[in-house]
Amino acid sequence: MPKKKRAEAAEQPAYTWREKVGLAQMLRGGVIMDVVTPDHAKIAEDAGAAAVMALERVPADIRLHGGVARMSDPEMIASIMAAVSIPVMAKCRIGHFAEAQILQALGVDFIDESEVLTPADEMYHVDKHAFAVPFVCGCRDLGEALRRIGEGAAMIRTKGEAGSGNVVEAVRHMRTVMDGIRRLTVLGPEQLMTEAKNLGAPYEVLKEIAATGQLPVPNFSAGGIATPADAALMRQLGAEAVFVGSGIFKSGDPARRAKAIVEANTFYDDPAKVLECSKGLGEAMVGINISEIPEGERLAKRGW
Amino acid sequence: MRSPVIGVLALQGDFREHLEMLAGLGVDARNVRTPEQVAACDGLILPGGESTTIGKLMRRYGVDQAIRELHAAGRPIWGTCAGAILLSREVVENDVHNLGLLDARIARNAYGRQTDSFERGLAMAALGAAEFPAVFIRAPRFVSVGPGVEALAAIDDEPVFVRQGNLLASTFHPELTSDPRVHAWLAELARA
């Protein structure tokens, strides 16, 4: 991975790849929650969130609202940064490097180049090596994960289907990525270049994974997690942490559900503890069957 | 004598990196999340991560008390970054559920936000002549330390790695590097 590179557009502090991936490593085993107000952010922090994602509307409302979804108002993001001491992430549109420059100038700790917003470029993603701030990107399979890492993403999250309250796509994408990783570890060296071609993935990163059996950056899960059991499921399938978007603040008792998901995520392989924190949480968000979402409105399809 | 067991507190954070470093040294290392698991250790690492998150989970599950007892029994404990915050007596302007074992005042995120994270080679005589590659990520700073606290490394006279008896605390992350000297030292302390 390149050590240092400077953006042409703007003056920015020196950084190293290790620092960028380092923050992602610190978030392992955590829950990252979508929040739309400073009050939400405090509820998330008090529940034990490891970070928050500041945005104007949670994905379920972006779905309802329709239209073009853009980067949130920087003033709103700043108010959340002022409200909590944990890291604050924010989303830019796919390929919208100017939005990313604004978020970096604002001082957010992580940028999510996110399919939840309307893509700004249908050919190219942001050159993430050009930024001092680390990026997280979504993926559905190993090839997509490796293209994003090749572009400089310091964290990967499987996409799932944001705002659906339905974990089925999150499961599909995590299984697909983990299968892809396992497959690389049993291929012979002569097979790796063809595999890189088939996946559309950078060869050097692919070779590294074949040797280590893991992605070179943390691999988290997003898109549809709504219950403590969902979090425990994704962790057992290989996610190193979970993003919860609409699942918390679209439920009946957000503070209680947030705390329960944090606990289930920590003790994901201890069913007795997950049982305890699953009790009496009130209403979960109403989910959507994926087959009822028109093809054109499926967020996971955005990104190339 | 049997080889010591080093626990890595695995409630949240970069516990995996610590575990891999210890395993690479041939140390018997395991993730610990419950009071019983903590009590079974000869030494303990509090990893990097979010100190507010780890502090809350420690308290919710009674792990904080088990760690205090481990300390009272004279077992070595090392905190990195968030771990150093949790060990400290006082956290500036924050309601972190800290353990208060280390006679120090510490301020969270005290260099700034993520873009202010940095790497620096540190002189650390206690671990030999070679510079230590120190990675600081949204790092805390020791505002003041008590008379019984020894500075093992400093940046501009401000301690970044301290020792108080069997307690070690670094505001940086040796577990993110390939330099195992601090981990090896902790294993040695746990053997004593």
Side-chain angles (χ1 to χ4, degrees):
Chain A
M1 290 295 157
K3 272 279 179 196
K4 285 186 195 278
K5 194 174 170 188
R6 286 187 169 276
E8 288 160 24
E11 194 57 30
Q12 61 168 295
Y15 70 91
T16 65
W17 177 245
R18 188 151 64 181
E19 289 158 30
K20 289 167 87 170
V21 180
L23 181 57
Q25 289 170 293
M26 295 310 140
L27 295 172
R28 278 203 175 119
V31 180
I32 301 154
M33 301 182 193
D34 280 3
V35 296
V36 300
T37 65
D39 286 345
H40 278 187
K42 283 304 291 176
I43 291 172
E45 185 176 47
D46 290 345
V52 291
M53 176 77 69
L55 69 178
E56 273 165 352
R57 282 189 283 272
V58 295
D61 288 336
I62 289 176
R63 257 182 210 297
L64 282 178
H65 196 263
V68 174
R70 310 178 179 91
M71 175 186 81
S72 297
D73 180 352
E75 195 168 278
M76 172 267 164
I77 299 170
S79 71
I80 285 171
M81 289 163 64
V84 293
S85 64
I86 55 180
V88 176
M89 302 185 173
K91 291 182 193 290
C92 75
R93 284 180 261 178
I94 289 173
H96 206 316
F97 54 85
E99 283 186 350
Q101 287 164 352
I102 292 167
L103 292 174
Q104 171 164 285
L106 180 62
V108 300
D109 298 295
F110 236 104
I111 296 176
D112 184 2
E113 185 183 15
S114 178
E115 70 282 1
V116 168
L117 305 183
T118 309
D121 190 327
E122 297 196 334
M123 287 283 284
Y124 305 110
H125 283 249
V126 172
D127 170 19
K128 293 164 275 286
H129 287 301
F131 286 79
V133 64
F135 277 72
V136 53
C137 288
C139 71
R140 287 159 297 176
D141 55 38
L142 188 60
E144 198 174 7
L146 300 199
R147 289 193 291 280
R148 298 295 86 79
I149 295 167
E151 292 160 357
M155 179 201 290
I156 285 298
R157 56 170 178 76
T158 47
K159 286 177 180 171
E161 185 61 29
S164 70
N166 186 341
V167 82
V168 66
E169 294 299 304
V171 168
R172 187 193 322 281
H173 299 154
M174 185 55 69
R175 280 201 183 277
T176 306
V177 168
M178 299 308 284
D179 283 355
I181 292 171
R182 279 189 286 269
R183 177 178 153 75
L184 287 188
T185 64
V186 295
L187 291 182
E190 77 285 2
Q191 296 176 283
L192 293 179
M193 185 58 85
T194 300
E195 186 72 1
K197 181 188 131 199
N198 292 341
L199 292 176
Y203 176 64
E204 292 301 325
V205 186
L206 185 139
K207 236 172 44 171
E208 190 185 337
I209 296 169
T212 62
Q214 56 194 34
L215 291 181
V217 305
N219 177 24
F220 293 3
S221 169
I225 295 163
T227 68
D230 288 347
L233 174 68
M234 295 317 301
R235 293 296 307 280
Q236 290 184 60
L237 287 174
E240 299 179 286
V242 296
F243 285 81
V244 186
S246 319
I248 290 171
F249 290 101
K250 284 284 156 193
S251 74
D253 187 345
R256 191 151 174 206
R257 183 166 294 265
K259 188 163 164 269
I261 291 178
V262 167
E263 295 186 21
N265 178 61
T266 299
F267 295 97
Y268 65 93
D269 55 356
D270 183 341
K273 286 216 165 65
V274 179
L275 162 66
E276 260 332 289
C277 60
S278 297
K279 288 177 181 166
L281 296 180
E283 236 173 285
M285 79 177 274
V286 179
I288 314 172
N289 289 316
I290 302 299
S291 59
E292 289 164 20
I293 305 174
E295 281 283 321
E297 290 175 21
R298 293 191 195 169
L299 304 176
K301 292 191 172 303
R302 297 166 168 178
W304 10 94
Chain B
M1 187 200 153
R2 76 186 172 88
S3 70
V5 174
I6 304 288
V8 182
L9 188 67
L11 294 173
Q12 193 273 322
D14 71 337
F15 45 87
R16 178 172 131 190
E17 286 73 9
H18 276 293
L19 205 70
E20 284 170 357
M21 187 73 100
L22 291 165
L25 290 168
V27 173
D28 185 353
R30 47 190 82 159
N31 284 331
V32 296
R33 293 184 299 187
T34 65
E36 299 74 33
Q37 289 168 341
V38 169
C41 294
D42 301 303
L44 184 69
I45 292 176
L46 308 182
E50 278 310 309
S51 54
T52 53
T53 303
I54 300 172
K56 285 182 183 99
L57 290 165
M58 275 190 340
R59 179 184 279 192
R60 249 177 244 170
Y61 290 96
V63 177
D64 51 351
Q65 196 48 39
I67 296 173
R68 286 195 189 93
E69 283 164 18
L70 195 73
H71 172 65
R75 306 317 309 173
I77 303 175
W78 170 30
T80 60
C81 195
I85 295 167
L86 292 165
L87 285 177
S88 294
R89 174 175 52 77
E90 190 188 340
V91 184
V92 178
E93 288 175 14
N94 246 292
D95 55 353
V96 174
H97 298 315
N98 48 321
L99 293 157
L101 302 175
L102 177 72
D103 187 11
R105 279 188 89 215
I106 197 163
R108 294 177 61 219
N109 308 331
Y111 295 96
R113 302 195 74 95
Q114 170 60 12
T115 47
D116 303 302
S117 294
F118 61 100
E119 287 193 44
R120 179 82 62 94
L122 291 180
M124 212 185 288
L127 294 177
E131 270 198 348
F132 197 93
V135 189
F136 294 83
I137 295 173
R138 282 175 50 97
R141 292 169 87 151
F142 286 114
V143 177
S144 62
V145 297
V149 178
E150 178 193 358
L152 301 171
I155 293 178
D156 301 335
D157 293 330
E158 184 182 281
V160 293
F161 186 24
V162 300
R163 176 180 188 178
Q164 173 191 307
N166 256 353
L167 289 178
L168 305 176
S170 58
T171 58
F172 54 93
H173 296 279
E175 74 278 13
L176 296 186
T177 72
S178 51
D179 191 326
R181 283 180 287 168
V182 185
H183 290 83
W185 187 28
L186 183 77
E188 202 178 298
L189 291 172
R191 209 168 277 130

